[in-house]
């Protein structure tokens, strides 16, 4: 804990407990505000989503909640709606992969735009923003698997945006990522890949403004963020594991650093992703796609291209910086009496370092990433598309309801395996 500031304004958690639910609900009335939660059906079988629902229930000042849901059938969507019944604000369960939604998005192909996927968090966020930004001036996003979700989370994330006098357009979370069960440090992709990578790239290219910007974020891979709807409407949305870094790149393109803040949420835990046995799995796949996103950002914002001649230098630097970070995190863990497997951390750095060469090769072969177009662009093509998308999500639900009234009710299948969609943890 400290009180230091830098390029990006930092809202610290001084652990004073100065949260005021009554005042926060009043502040929510200053600007129409919607929360967006991208979600798989399987999350309904876990306690985290129940915790999130119950924590949000007292927010009487919230304008609405949008659940961007990947589900196998309309009955599961109905069960999700029942799960959120009784909230003091409207809840829109938007079926991201429903038949009517898919039909609508396929029709956008007539504009020479591909918005049909791939399924995943980026696609869900993109659809959810289209729905949420119709009426909201502020949109906050949280994942559905946060096991430490508390009342301070939405309050701290949204308040910088509710008072216009602060001049803030984008809020990014950071936190201490610890396992609830073991108290061990988590967040390996941030600690052991992104941090060392950015430090190494700075040594290769020098202190470029874009690298300085990325390094200003304490947790660049945090999946919790909030923004004004006018900003959200103008962001292209990455559709791979580079979503969070890709969004930071988009924000860099549109917003001055003085209008960005990062907020400390304290201790934080959600689902942990395994390293994977090969580059196409788990954290290795995530890190590989993040690497490509960072290098594309350097191309776009700085006109810098990583060459194959520079790659050996980056590989050597990354291994050295990564090993230094392993030692530093080991000391931090020891002084806080946290369990720490230094050998496994070293092996993780070794695995990540093996992703740099194939990652650069892949980038050179295909430098243009698939990004979902901004909603402002789509509105210029079809001004009714946002409303049509929201209606398509509802139409799928209503269509199924009218055809299943005569069927006996079935127990909600909370354990549906939505294997075609992969929401990032």
């Amino acid at each position: 804990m400290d009180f230091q500031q830098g390029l990006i304004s930092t809202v610290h958690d001084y652990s004073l407990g100065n949260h005021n639910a009554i005042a926060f609900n009043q502040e929510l009335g200053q600007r129409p505000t919607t929360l967006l939660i991208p979600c798989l059906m399987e999350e309904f079988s876990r306690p985290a989503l129940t915790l999130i629902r119950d924590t949000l229930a007292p927010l009487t000042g919230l304008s609405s909640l949008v659940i961007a849901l990947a589900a196998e059938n309309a009955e599961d969507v109905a069960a999700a709606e029942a799960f959120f019944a009784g909230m003091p604000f409207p809840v829109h369960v938007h079926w991201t992969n429903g038949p009517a939604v898919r039909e609508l998005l396929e029709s956008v192909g007539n504009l020479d735009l591909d918005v049909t996927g791939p399924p995943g968090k980026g696609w869900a966020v993109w659809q959810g923003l289209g729905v949420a930004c119709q009426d909201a001036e502020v949109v906050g996003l949280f994942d559905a698997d946060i096991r430490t979700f508390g009342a301070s989370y939405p309050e701290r994330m949204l308040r910088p945006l509710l008072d216009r006098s602060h001049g803030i357009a984008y809020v990014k979370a950071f936190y201490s990522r610890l396992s609830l069960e073991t108290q061990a440090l988590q967040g390996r992709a941030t600690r052991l890949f992104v941090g060392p990578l950015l430090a190494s790239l700075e040594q290769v290219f020098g202190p470029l403004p874009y690298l300085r910007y990325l390094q200003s974020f304490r947790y660049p891979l945090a999946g919790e963020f909030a923004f004004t709807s006018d900003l959200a409407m103008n962001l292209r949305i990455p559709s791979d594991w580079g979503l969070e870094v890709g969004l930071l790149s988009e924000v860099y393109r549109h917003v001055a650093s003085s209008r960005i803040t990062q907020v400390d949420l304290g201790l934080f835990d959600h689902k942990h992703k395994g390293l994977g046995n090969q580059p196409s799995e788990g954290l290795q796949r995530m890190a590989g796609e993040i690497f490509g996103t960072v290098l594309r950002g350097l191309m776009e914002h700085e006109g810098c291209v990583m060459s194959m001649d520079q790659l050996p230098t980056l590989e050597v630097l990354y291994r050295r910086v990564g090993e230094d970070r392993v030692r530093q995190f080991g000391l931090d863990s020891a002084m806080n009496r946290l369990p720490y497997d230094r050998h496994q951390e070293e092996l993780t750095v070794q695995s990540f370092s093996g992703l740099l060469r194939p990652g650069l090769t892949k980038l050179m072969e295909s430098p243009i990433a698939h990004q979902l177009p901004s909603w402002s662009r789509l509105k210029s093509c079809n001004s009714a598309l946002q409303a049509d998308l929201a209606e398509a999500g509802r139409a799928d639900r209503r269509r199924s309801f009218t055809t299943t009234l005569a069927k006996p009710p079935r127990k909600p299948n909370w354990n549906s395996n939505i294997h075609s969609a992969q929401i990032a943890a």
Side-chain angles (χ1 to χ4, degrees), residues 18-341:
N18 293 336
H19 305 295
N20 188 323
I22 296 175
F24 180 46
N25 272 315
Q26 294 173 342
E27 291 169 343
L28 283 170
Q30 297 181 54
R31 306 185 77 175
T33 301
T34 293
L35 287 181
L36 167 61
I37 301 178
C39 188
L40 294 173
M41 200 64 207
E42 63 194 43
E43 300 297 346
F44 288 84
S45 65
R46 300 188 176 107
L49 192 57
T50 299
L51 172 65
I52 293 171
R53 179 198 62 188
D54 295 346
T55 303
L56 295 179
L59 297 186
T60 55
L62 195 66
S63 299
S64 64
L65 172 66
V66 174
I67 306 297
L69 178 67
E72 286 184 338
N73 52 62
E75 290 174 289
D76 284 342
V77 179
E81 290 176 337
F83 180 85
F84 284 101
M87 300 294 273
F89 41 76
V91 179
H92 183 136
V93 178
H94 177 76
W95 190 5
T96 60
N97 57 334
V101 168
R102 286 195 169 277
E103 182 180 351
L104 174 66
L105 297 183
E106 287 170 1
S107 72
V108 178
N110 297 329
L111 303 173
D112 293 326
L113 293 172
D114 180 9
V115 295
T116 57
K121 182 179 177 180
W123 195 50
V125 168
W126 176 79
Q127 288 195 48
L129 288 178
V131 175
C133 288
Q134 291 184 99
D135 304 309
E137 292 184 14
V138 171
V139 179
L141 186 142
F142 289 99
D143 286 331
D145 62 348
I146 303 172
R147 305 168 65 203
T148 51
F149 198 90
S152 65
Y153 283 18
E155 180 174 345
R156 293 176 64 79
M157 290 292 294
L158 295 174
R159 286 189 67 210
L161 295 163
L162 297 179
D163 186 342
R164 290 178 176 84
S165 68
H166 296 311
I168 299 300
Y170 181 77
V171 178
K172 178 82 165 177
F174 72 95
Y175 30 69
S176 299
R177 183 90 189 276
L178 298 179
S179 167
L180 284 178
E181 288 77 21
T182 68
Q183 296 188 331
L185 292 175
Q186 301 296 324
R188 288 167 294 171
T190 295
R191 292 189 297 108
L192 302 180
F193 184 70
V194 175
L197 174 66
L198 294 177
S200 302
L201 287 171
E202 185 177 39
Q203 292 188 62
V204 173
F205 291 110
L208 298 175
Y210 180 61
L211 290 176
R212 182 186 174 214
Y213 163 80
L214 290 181
Q215 288 178 293
S216 297
F217 290 95
R218 309 268 181 105
Y219 207 113
L221 299 188
E224 296 69 39
F225 42 85
F227 28 37
T228 58
S229 59
D230 58 334
L231 173 60
M233 287 286 291
N234 285 280
L235 301 180
R236 299 170 299 176
I237 305 297
S239 56
D240 61 8
W241 290 108
L243 171 64
E244 284 77 19
V245 173
L247 277 178
L248 289 181
S249 177
E250 284 290 289
V251 171
Y252 182 80
R253 178 186 178 199
H254 289 279
V255 177
S257 60
S258 61
R259 302 196 65 203
I260 303 170
T261 189
Q262 56 184 337
V263 173
D264 187 357
L265 296 186
L267 294 178
F268 186 98
D269 192 25
H270 61 62
K271 286 196 313 250
H272 308 302
K273 184 174 291 296
L275 183 63
N277 296 318
Q278 53 188 350
S280 62
E281 297 176 353
L283 288 181
Q284 291 188 70
R285 177 183 174 186
M286 179 188 294
E289 294 182 359
I290 290 169
F291 179 51
T293 301
V294 170
L295 293 188
R296 284 189 185 93
L298 283 172
M299 292 178 182
E300 182 173 354
H301 303 299
E302 303 289 357
C304 292
V305 180
M306 169 67 66
S307 69
M308 284 297 179
D309 290 339
Q310 293 170 309
L311 182 62
T313 302
L314 179 65
E315 290 175 316
V316 170
L317 286 171
Y318 168 76
R319 282 293 291 269
R320 189 204 69 198
V321 177
E323 290 166 357
D324 287 346
R325 296 291 172 90
V326 168
R327 177 185 56 80
Q328 291 172 323
F329 287 121
L331 175 62
D332 194 6
S333 296
M335 293 301 99
N336 284 282
R337 302 189 187 281
L338 306 179
Y340 190 74
D341 188 340

Side-chain angles (χ1 to χ4, degrees), residues 367-418:
I368 305 298
H370 180 268
Q371 292 177 308
L372 294 159
S374 71
W375 278 101
S376 62
R377 177 185 178 183
L378 288 171
K379 283 194 70 174
S380 71
C381 301
N382 180 350
S383 60
L385 187 59
Q386 274 182 282
D388 289 346
L389 178 65
E391 180 60 26
R394 296 188 187 99
D396 281 333
R397 168 75 180 92
R398 289 199 300 265
R399 180 186 306 170
S400 173
F401 182 74
T402 59
T403 59
T404 58
L405 281 177
K407 296 181 181 180
R410 77 178 184 94
K411 184 179 179 180
N413 179 13
W414 298 123
N415 293 304
S416 298
N417 178 25
I418 316 302

